[in-house]
Amino acid sequence: GEDVEQSLFLSVREGDSSVINCTYTDSSSTYLYWYKQEPGAGLQLLTYIFSNMDMKQDQRLTVLLNKKDKHLSLRIADTQTGDSAIYFCAESRQAGTALIFGKGTTLSVSS
Amino acid sequence: DTGVSQNPRHKITKRGQNVTFRCDPISEHNRLYWYRQTLGQGPEFLTYFQNEAQLEKSRLLSDRFSAERPKGSFSTLEIQRTEQGDSAMYLCASSPNGAVSEKLFFGSGTQLSVL
């Protein structure tokens, strides 16, 4: 079946790098996404990666994809207190358009 | 345009009552999605529309749930005979045309509490 797994909690200090990991099971996933959710707000797309890519960098964000292991990671460089939020990994399949989300990783950044 | 708008932000109802939520997507976005999110979980897909046509419904969408998008613009989600298990955040999202590479723009959600 389809499933997206994430670690539930990550705590880092301001200025450190954060690495949030995700594994997925559907090998037909075409795009993989990282969304951010702040308290009381809707989800905000941070970045996405196409399944034929290994890495994508966007300012402080680096996405790594290991398609063989079905493992996706999001690295946030120079983490700031404003990065504290829940981060969701999501996948979409070729045949459908619904996103399948993980349960989210709560990132806590302390100063 | 201020993004995807959802109303109301919060809804408290008694078990057995009907509730209706509204979503106004970003103008000219053809795709509209409904998701449900419970505490500690990621959003779960419920249904989506391409213009006014409802193209896919999740198994989560029981017969007590109905969604409409009559003119291809705003959408409503109605829950009949609410149950306590319906308590959740109901999220609406839209995208221009539904291509897999498109990003979804999410609203802030409607928080439903069923007492």
Side-chain angles (χ1 to χ4, degrees), chain A residues 10-21 57 59-62 74-80 83 87 107-110:
Chain A
L10 176 65
S11 180
V12 299
R13 294 201 300 186
E14 193 174 20
D16 289 349
S17 292
S18 307
V19 180
I20 302 171
N21 294 301
Q57 188 153 3
Q59 299 181 336
R60 292 191 297 123
L61 306 178
T62 303
L74 173 69
R75 178 177 181 269
I76 305 173
D78 187 25
T79 313
Q80 303 298 306
D83 294 324
Y87 290 80
L107 174 63
S108 176
V109 182
S110 57

Side-chain angles (χ1 to χ4, degrees), chain A residues 30-31 33 35 37 40-43 45 48 88 92-94 96-99 101-103, chain B residues 9 31 33 35 37 40-43 45 48 56 91 98 100-104 106-108:
Chain A
T30 306
Y31 283 86
Y33 306 81
Y35 279 82
Q37 187 175 37
L43 282 85
L45 178 68
Y48 66 88
F88 291 95
S92 65
R93 295 155 287 164
Q94 286 178 330
T97 60
L99 293 182
F101 285 86
K103 293 185 179 181
Chain B
R9 289 295 306 272
R31 281 284 172 102
Y33 306 78
Y35 283 80
Q37 185 178 20
Q41 302 292 320
F45 169 74
Y48 82 85
E56 185 177 349
L91 297 168
V100 175
S101 60
E102 283 179 354
K103 68 176 185 179
L104 299 186
F106 279 86
S108 297

Side-chain angles (χ1 to χ4, degrees), chain A residues 32-47:
Chain A
L32 295 132
Y33 306 81
W34 284 104
Y35 279 82
K36 177 182 180 182
Q37 187 175 37
E38 295 178 271
L43 282 85
Q44 172 195 357
L45 178 68
L46 289 177
T47 187

